[in-house]
Amino acid sequence: MTEILLIRHGETAWNAIKRLQGHLDIPLNAEGTRQAKALAAALQNEKIDAIVSSDLQRAIQTAGEIARLQGISTRIDAGLRERCYGGFEGQLYSEIPHLFPEAYAAWKSHDPDAEFPPGENTGETTRRFHQRVIEHIDHYARQFQNQKIALVAHGGVLECAYREAMQLPLNAPREVTIFNASINRFHFDGQRLQLVQWGDIAHLDADDTLDEINQPK
């Protein structure tokens, strides 16, 4: 069995104003750095055998705080990157329905094969994104069998893991809250992902935690 800690990065300035990030590389803000340090302190008495981070700096910065207290290095893997939202990226959530009404309606309908309008980056459908994420989680779960690993990533990545563990269809609305700097615990038994604990933010000030992602619920 592999123990997996799936962790969402700390807060960014764009999280705070509800601007969609996706593949755009936004750093932690001061609050996000504080959250990352609190997260690392909460985990310092647990022996973590490996830390793998998305290649976006908000995840790398969060993982770095954990790695510093664990005394190990961080592996970087673009496969743990957030979903790409194409032309939605960089827009306020409130603006998207007006800028891209048809694409927004398709997104809100939870169509797993809905495409995003073109933007700085090429968007990913829900199906392609889910497949990418689960393949990478499965890879590390098997590589570090019988060990404990921390995968530091993004809200969309955490949602994919939750769906996989709960065997939810890709077109089902999101049913959980995904907080910045939250700890989400899974086991991998060699065949499937199992959810152990979701949304642990005991190390944070609950009044200052955000879940602004994937607005169509």
Side-chain angles (χ1 to χ4, degrees), residues 84-209:
C84 183
Y85 292 92
F88 285 14
E89 294 183 349
Q91 308 296 337
L92 293 172
Y93 283 103
S94 61
E95 296 173 339
I96 294 172
H98 309 290
L99 294 171
F100 307 102
E102 292 183 6
Y104 178 80
W107 182 37
K108 193 172 182 180
S109 75
H110 307 288
D111 176 357
D113 297 305
E115 299 280 354
F116 290 101
E120 181 177 335
N121 302 302
T122 302
E124 293 175 283
T125 66
T126 296
R127 194 180 307 279
R128 291 198 297 266
F129 174 55
H130 185 86
Q131 181 179 5
R132 163 168 70 82
V133 168
I134 297 306
E135 284 178 353
H136 282 78
I137 292 175
D138 182 84
H139 167 76
Y140 289 110
R142 294 180 187 279
Q143 180 177 352
F144 295 100
Q145 187 175 4
N146 298 320
Q147 298 182 70
K148 180 184 289 188
I149 61 175
L151 305 181
V152 184
H154 307 268
V157 173
L158 271 62
E159 183 180 355
C160 287
Y162 181 89
R163 287 182 184 275
E164 186 72 9
M166 304 303 291
Q167 296 294 287
L168 296 175
L170 296 181
N171 62 354
R174 173 159 69 87
E175 61 180 31
V176 289
T177 301
I178 306 174
F179 290 117
N180 285 118
S182 60
I183 304 168
N184 306 274
R185 297 177 185 270
F186 294 80
H187 287 165
F188 181 77
D189 64 5
Q191 295 188 346
R192 62 183 299 265
L193 205 58
Q194 301 172 342
L195 178 62
V196 177
Q197 182 187 34
W198 183 262
D200 178 7
I201 51 171
H203 49 284
L204 302 178
D205 181 344
D207 292 335
D208 295 329
T209 54

